[in-house]
Amino acid sequence: MRFIDLRSDTVTQPSAKMREAMAQARVGDDVYGEDPTLAELEARVANLLGKEAALFVPSGTMANQLALWVQTRPGDEVIVGREAHLAVYETGAAAALSGVQMSFIGEGGLFNAREVKAAIRPIHDYSPRTALVVVENTHNRSGGRLFSLETCQEIAALAHSAGLRAHLDGARLWNASIASGVSVQAFAEPFDTVSVCFSKGLGAPVGSALAGPRDLLREARRRRKMLGGGMRQGGILAAGALFALEHNRERLADDHRAARAFAGYASRLPGVVIDVDKVETNIVNIGVARGRASAISAQLRTLGVLINAINENTLRAVTHLDVTEAEVLVAAEKLGLAAVG
């Protein structure tokens, strides 16, 4: 059975042409700074995001954690949206590596500058020092929702005026750009550091990058090595990311269109609740009867559809380059069978 896999946009397989590009990549030892393909990718990302430097890393988690590690001190507090990837999916690394605590604001993962201002701690001997604000754009757990450019600018400006730094978790920033028509550079410009991912919507097999000021990135590179992230002939992986940047960015609009088609169809099914107006990119949150999400996910697997339960009454479907819009609609039909079963 060939499954229609809507668990995540991380499940994509590299295309034949991407594999060819990886096989033919010029490589060297990157720990010595001698891998030309890695250097090309890092320069390309820095230029795309309008930053002085960029660093290739194995994962978005490492990119985010390096950003925290080089911009905070143990005991600091970091302001993030509720259910941020940084807090939900990164295994407590912020506490283990940076020794920071988090202050959660906003509803559904989104927040504004006014809420940031209210969350900044007063300066007292007994208060943690607020050091950093993190925006996740798009926001995964809320269903791939967007922070507008204006909101990003206001949040970063407020942070800087208060003496804080601002980090953009842009794992799906490519999606935010395509959906809004705003360039990734414009989204990145207000922030001190930015992380982006190549192995989600862009379809590369491995890799993310952290971009920002040259001095911070120099320290991030050192700490990447400390974590075992010196990847030697990493240009083979970088070639996949370069191919993805060149060929797979504009087609993200196809994924967004497929997600809206899925949401439109599934929202009319009995036992299913979807706020179609909140489907902005390639993620659809699907409300089902309380306590039924895992059972429906299991039933869908027997029907050839893979969709994850993210809590007891919510499923999450993610469109990507390895599923067609026609397959997505088949998955919606089968969701109807499972939801009423």
Side-chain angles (χ1 to χ4, degrees), residues 224-258:
R224 182 189 70 174
K225 177 64 175 172
M226 199 182 295
L227 296 174
M231 290 173 281
R232 303 299 179 178
Q233 288 75 38
I236 294 172
L237 300 177
L242 282 166
F243 183 94
L245 284 174
E246 184 67 29
H247 298 281
N248 293 345
R249 290 169 60 195
E250 295 301 323
R251 63 147 311 279
L252 289 171
D254 298 339
D255 299 341
H256 301 171
R257 187 163 46 250

Side-chain angles (χ1 to χ4, degrees), residues 12 33 51 55 57 60 63 84 86 93 156 160 174 215 217 225 257 279 287 307 312 325 337:
T12 56
K51 300 302 182 185
L55 179 70
V57 294
L86 202 65
H160 293 148
W174 319 112
D215 59 337
L217 268 292
K225 177 64 175 172
R257 187 163 46 250
V279 179
I307 294 179
E312 65 178 9
E325 187 169 332
L337 297 175

Side-chain angles (χ1 to χ4, degrees), residues 110-160:
L110 305 183
F111 57 88
N112 57 38
R114 175 180 52 79
E115 292 167 292
V116 173
K117 184 175 182 179
I120 297 173
R121 300 277 188 172
I123 299 174
H124 292 302
D125 288 347
Y126 52 78
S127 294
R129 182 184 74 124
T130 307
L132 184 69
V133 179
V134 179
V135 170
E136 181 184 335
N137 202 13
T138 66
H139 189 274
N140 180 350
R141 295 275 291 188
S142 70
R145 298 194 65 198
L146 290 161
F147 282 81
S148 70
L149 177 61
E150 181 180 15
T151 299
C152 289
Q153 291 169 332
E154 290 172 351
I155 289 170
L158 185 280
H160 293 148

Side-chain angles (χ1 to χ4, degrees), residues 273 285-294 309-315:
V273 177
N285 283 346
I286 307 156
V288 296
R290 184 166 294 278
R292 287 273 293 146
S294 293
I310 61 171
N311 58 45
E312 65 178 9
N313 63 316
T314 308
L315 299 160

Side-chain angles (χ1 to χ4, degrees), residues 144-286:
R145 298 194 65 198
L146 290 161
F147 282 81
S148 70
L149 177 61
E150 181 180 15
T151 299
C152 289
Q153 291 169 332
E154 290 172 351
I155 289 170
L158 185 280
H160 293 148
S161 71
L164 317 183
R165 285 187 166 174
H167 171 63
L168 175 59
D169 176 358
R172 292 185 174 90
L173 189 60
W174 319 112
N175 295 86
S177 176
I178 293 297
S180 64
V182 175
S183 71
V184 290
Q185 183 168 332
F187 271 128
E189 191 278 330
F191 296 91
D192 299 284
T193 55
V194 184
S195 62
V196 291
C197 186
F198 310 114
S199 62
K200 290 189 170 73
L202 296 189
V206 176
S208 290
L210 177 66
R214 190 167 284 106
D215 59 337
L216 281 180
L217 268 292
R218 188 176 299 112
E219 179 61 20
R221 181 181 175 91
R222 176 178 175 273
R223 298 193 187 201
R224 182 189 70 174
K225 177 64 175 172
M226 199 182 295
L227 296 174
M231 290 173 281
R232 303 299 179 178
Q233 288 75 38
I236 294 172
L237 300 177
L242 282 166
F243 183 94
L245 284 174
E246 184 67 29
H247 298 281
N248 293 345
R249 290 169 60 195
E250 295 301 323
R251 63 147 311 279
L252 289 171
D254 298 339
D255 299 341
H256 301 171
R257 187 163 46 250
R260 289 191 294 272
F262 176 94
Y265 185 102
S267 65
R268 299 190 293 271
L269 298 170
V272 171
V273 177
I274 296 174
D275 189 339
V276 177
D277 290 338
K278 291 183 178 178
V279 179
E280 298 174 335
T281 54
N282 69 320
I283 302 176
V284 182
N285 283 346
I286 307 156

